[in-house]
Amino acid sequence: MATLRQLEYLVTVVDTGSFTRAAEQLHVTQPALSHQMRALEAAVGGPLLERLPRSVRLTPMGRAVLPHARAALAEAERLHTVARRTAGLEEGELEVAAIYSVSLGILPPVLRAWRRLHPGVRIRLREYPHADLLRAAMAAGRADVAIGPVPNGWEGPIRELGVEEFAVVLPADDPLADSPADTVALAELADRDWVHYAPGNGLADLLDHVAAQAGFHPRAAVRAEQTSAAPLLAAAGLGPALVPANIVPPHFDGAVLRPHPPVRRTLAAYTRTRPDALTVAFADLVVEVGCVDPAGAG
């Protein structure tokens, strides 16, 4: 099989019109150049060049091969240019994976800042309903960086973002909405029907867990597939909802209270063992722009 180096030798010999001048330009000996040309001719199955007393001439096969040799070298140069630009954060594509709530509450300002800093780098966002699915996707190589709860047993770099606070959402006219401290004990909601989450959503496990700690099992009035639907359904009166506080939209119509005891989880950006320059730059920006309150104060 012909190599790029051999194709470069062919093009240089043709462009200089001489094996001697080509060897000088390529910084190789003339015997080494001649050897590689013979190897190229053996690979393609016939002679490519005819030596003349003062020059060289392409054979019919050489004239057929030369345009493809030039195209292959040009494509290789484009590949190297893209690689250099990617290393320099000028262009490329980055695969970002996140759990639903992170893509709603943390990523938008990060992506806005990234677009401003690196407009030539495309972002492909993959969203997952559960932290286990997020971790599995990263382990399988389907993303370059993941953002979600701190993964157990992860061997690559982990950058903690801080502690994510959760809130309880109720209708604005709910009797508990006027709590002086803007807090509500989860036990006070034990007899309510809840806006719960679909079984595949990691927040379903979280709600069941914190409710069990408060001494009850939450009955589901409705189960939301999308995390973003939960606060809207709660504000509409279907039942209380436990949601990440940072996904509640501005000028929200419902009541947003802090649960007692507080519900929190640590978020992180994590990558595989040897992240490239693009991945490292994005993870750094997530920490800088998307960082949640490290103290967990809500």
Side-chain angles (χ1 to χ4, degrees):
M1 180 179 294
T3 66
L4 284 173
R5 189 63 169 166
Q6 290 168 348
L7 297 178
E8 181 185 16
Y9 287 177
L10 170 64
V11 170
T12 306
V13 170
V14 172
D15 288 348
T16 60
S18 162
F19 272 77
T20 300
R21 288 191 292 272
E24 292 173 353
Q25 183 171 315
L26 292 165
H27 304 291
V28 297
T29 65
Q30 190 168 330
L33 175 59
S34 297
H35 173 75
Q36 288 299 320
M37 288 305 306
R38 288 193 296 270
L40 175 59
E41 290 175 329
V44 300
L48 300 174
L49 295 170
E50 180 184 355
R51 290 178 183 253
L52 302 176
R54 294 183 179 277
S55 64
V56 296
R57 183 171 64 188
L58 287 164
T59 66
M61 180 179 287
R63 287 194 294 274
V65 167
L66 183 64
H68 298 283
R70 293 191 189 279
L73 293 173
E75 184 62 30
E77 179 58 29
R78 283 193 291 271
L79 184 150
H80 292 150
T81 298
V82 168
R84 289 193 297 269
R85 288 178 176 175
T86 299
L89 309 183
E90 295 177 26
E91 64 181 47
E93 182 172 275
L94 196 64
E95 301 264 4
V96 177
I99 56 171
Y100 285 161
S101 59
V102 163
S103 65
L104 292 168
I106 292 177
L107 271 184
V110 175
L111 296 178
R112 183 168 57 249
W114 180 266
R115 180 69 175 173
R116 185 176 64 251
L117 293 170
H118 309 290
V121 179
R122 299 177 300 278
I123 297 293
R124 178 176 295 179
L125 178 61
R126 301 181 185 275
E127 298 175 274
Y128 295 90
H130 200 289
D132 291 345
L133 296 177
L134 177 68
R135 187 187 189 284
M138 274 296 292
R142 288 194 287 272
D144 300 305
V145 58
I147 307 165
V150 177
N152 294 325
W154 187 255
E155 295 182 357
I158 298 175
R159 308 280 298 276
E160 289 195 5
L161 307 181
V163 178
E164 180 181 49
E165 288 279 348
F166 281 77
V168 172
V169 176
L170 297 168
D173 59 357
D174 190 280
L176 296 176
D178 294 327
S179 169
D182 291 330
T183 62
V184 60
L186 290 179
E188 293 185 69
L189 304 169
D191 61 347
R192 302 281 190 101
D193 291 334
W194 283 72
V195 174
H196 214 313
Y197 297 94
N201 191 312
L203 295 184
D205 298 339
L206 178 65
L207 176 55
D208 286 342
H209 175 71
V210 298
Q213 289 183 320
F216 68 98
H217 179 76
R219 300 189 308 269
V222 62
R223 288 186 177 269
E225 292 279 351
Q226 296 292 333
T227 306
S228 58
L232 303 177
L233 295 172
L238 276 75
L242 183 71
V243 305
N246 56 25
I247 76 164
V248 178
H251 313 298
F252 184 63
D253 290 337
V256 182
L257 306 177
R258 290 175 294 169
H260 179 72
V263 179
R264 299 165 176 160
R265 64 179 175 183
T266 301
L267 297 180
Y270 57 99
T271 64
R272 284 182 295 280
T273 306
R274 298 178 62 186
D276 61 18
L278 275 180
T279 302
V280 171
F282 188 84
D284 288 345
L285 191 66
V286 173
V287 172
E288 178 185 349
V289 177
C291 186
V292 294
D293 183 1

